[in-house]
């Protein structure tokens, strides 16, 4: 009976470990921002579509820093009037990219 119990526990543990690996693989597959290095640029160098998207969707936001990668994706460090801050990602056409 002990052997049966240990076999069941071992099998359950193996399945749990496999499920976690599968879940991590799915998360990696859904990332849409290229993992290329971002280089800092002046906020004045941002495409007008990106600044317009920020103004439309986050009217109280201020762009503090901007970065671009080889895929022409933009990483924006923004702060809001209420003191909160965050990072946004957009393509050169002003479409938001999920991180």
């Amino acid at each position: 009976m002990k052997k049966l119990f240990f076999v069941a526990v071992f099998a359950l543990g193996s399945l749990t470990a496999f499920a976690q690996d599968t879940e991590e693989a799915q998360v990696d597959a859904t990332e849409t921002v290229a993992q290329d290095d971002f280089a800092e640029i002046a906020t004045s160098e941002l495409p007008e579509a990106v600044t317009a998207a920020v103004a439309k969707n986050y009217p109280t936001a201020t762009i503090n820093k901007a970065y671009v990668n080889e895929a022409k994706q933009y990483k924006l460090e923004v702060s809001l009037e209420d003191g909160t801050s965050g990072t946004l990602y957009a393509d050169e056409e002003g479409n938001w990219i999920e991180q």
Side-chain angles (χ1 to χ4, degrees), residues 73-96:
Q73 296 173 329
Y74 295 87
K75 175 181 173 182
L76 311 170
E77 292 181 7
V78 298
S79 58
L80 302 177
E81 283 181 356
D82 66 2
T84 59
S85 61
T87 304
L88 302 171
Y89 295 86
D91 64 17
E92 65 183 330
E93 296 173 358
N95 300 312
W96 299 115

Side-chain angles (χ1 to χ4, degrees), residues 27-39 68-73 75 89 97-99:
V27 169
D28 292 341
T30 60
E31 288 184 14
T32 54
V33 174
Q35 295 300 317
D36 299 338
D37 291 326
F38 284 88
V68 66
N69 65 13
E70 290 181 9
K72 298 277 187 194
Q73 296 173 329
K75 175 181 173 182
Y89 295 86
I97 302 170
E98 291 185 32
Q99 173 60 20

Side-chain angles (χ1 to χ4, degrees), residues 4-84:
L4 181 60
F5 176 76
F6 286 117
V7 169
V9 169
F10 181 76
L12 182 60
S14 297
L15 290 175
T16 304
F18 177 76
Q20 289 172 348
D21 290 342
T22 302
E23 185 178 50
E24 289 174 9
Q26 289 173 350
V27 169
D28 292 341
T30 60
E31 288 184 14
T32 54
V33 174
Q35 295 300 317
D36 299 338
D37 291 326
F38 284 88
E40 188 170 359
I41 60 171
T43 57
S44 60
E45 294 179 40
L46 287 169
E48 186 175 331
V50 174
T51 56
V54 172
K56 177 182 176 186
N57 296 119
Y58 303 96
T60 65
T62 301
I63 302 171
N64 300 322
K65 291 186 178 183
Y67 305 86
V68 66
N69 65 13
E70 290 181 9
K72 298 277 187 194
Q73 296 173 329
Y74 295 87
K75 175 181 173 182
L76 311 170
E77 292 181 7
V78 298
S79 58
L80 302 177
E81 283 181 356
D82 66 2
T84 59

